[in-house]
Amino acid sequence: MNAATAKQLDYYTMEDIYNLPDGQRAELIDGELYMLATPNRIHQKLVHFLDWTIGNYIHSKNGECEVYPAPFAVFLNVDKEIYLEPDISVICDKNKLTDDGCKGAPDWIIEIVSPSSRQMDYNKKLLKYGTAGVREYWIVDPVKQMIMVYNFEHETFEQYSFLDKVKAGIYEDFEIDFADINME
């Protein structure tokens, strides 16, 4: 798909996602295509830390859930109108997992805010995740050094700093100490 073709289209589909050039990533929300920028080093450091920390916790408890860092396909609804690549996806229902990714809402999603994703993470994705059945959504903002925790299951919202320990709502005994992350 070239730029001229993209401008002519008013409504994108999964076919457009599959036809992107190799290496180009995008998300699809209600017929709109959102191109994904290459993440910076701090973004990737946070993704690695969270993936490693959550994965180690699940492994130590012989847990059933699985953690997947981006790029990992999440087909948020059955009709394929919403295709996302959250930075971290935790899926506890293995029936949702296919070779293509996750079909349905993950239990826990974490998005790391980048300059190009700020509006999406704080607004559009918050709404979509909340209505699709995601149990918990974290927005990790490295610029503000804040973590916003939306527990949709219990209809709560909490805000933390990078100096805090943040409890994961989908687990009884798990918290992530953001002070352990060396942000340099």
Side-chain angles (χ1 to χ4, degrees):
M1 172 174 51
N2 62 36
T5 305
K7 287 182 181 179
Q8 293 172 357
L9 298 176
D10 292 327
Y11 192 85
Y12 295 92
T13 67
M14 281 306 302
E15 184 177 337
D16 296 302
I17 291 284
Y18 292 131
N19 287 327
L20 289 171
D22 286 346
Q24 178 64 59
R25 294 174 42 226
E27 294 179 316
L28 176 68
I29 301 176
D30 300 331
E32 290 187 53
L33 201 60
Y34 299 91
M35 305 313 277
L36 297 175
T38 302
N40 67 28
R41 183 183 64 82
I42 295 297
H43 183 281
Q44 290 303 91
K45 188 174 204 171
L46 285 163
V47 168
H48 173 73
F49 174 82
L50 292 166
D51 177 41
W52 181 82
T53 303
I54 296 166
N56 280 344
Y57 170 80
I58 293 169
H59 179 75
S60 74
K61 300 291 184 176
N62 295 315
E64 293 293 317
C65 301
E66 295 187 22
V67 59
Y68 293 93
F72 179 73
V74 171
F75 302 89
L76 204 54
N77 54 9
V78 177
D79 59 8
K80 294 188 175 182
E81 294 290 319
I82 302 177
Y83 167 88
L84 300 167
E85 293 185 7
D87 291 310
I88 300 286
S89 299
V90 178
I91 297 104
C92 301
D93 180 354
K94 293 192 184 199
N95 291 324
K96 292 181 179 179
L97 294 172
T98 70
D99 288 343
D100 294 332
C102 178
K103 307 283 183 176
D107 294 87
W108 180 14
I109 289 178
I110 301 174
E111 294 283 9
I112 314 297
V113 176
S114 60
S116 63
S117 74
R118 182 168 298 284
Q119 184 76 0
M120 289 286 291
D121 294 338
Y122 278 99
N123 296 304
K124 195 166 286 227
K125 287 183 179 180
L126 173 63
L127 175 66
K128 293 300 181 183
Y129 292 150
T131 57
V134 172
R135 293 167 54 196
E136 187 165 351
Y137 175 43
W138 289 17
I139 300 172
V140 178
D141 193 326
V143 170
K144 294 180 180 179
Q145 295 204 350
M146 299 295 295
I147 304 101
M148 278 56 67
V149 175
Y150 296 88
N151 187 318
F152 298 123
E153 214 172 26
H154 300 291
E155 298 180 358
T156 61
F157 166 76
E158 296 181 71
Q159 186 170 308
Y160 300 90
S161 81
F162 274 31
L163 301 175
D164 295 325
K165 292 180 180 178
V166 182
K167 184 180 178 330
I170 70 167
Y171 295 109
E172 290 292 321
D173 62 344
F174 179 52
E175 62 185 17
I176 296 175
D177 189 349
F178 276 79
D180 287 344
I181 304 172
N182 177 0
M183 291 303 293
E184 295 180 20

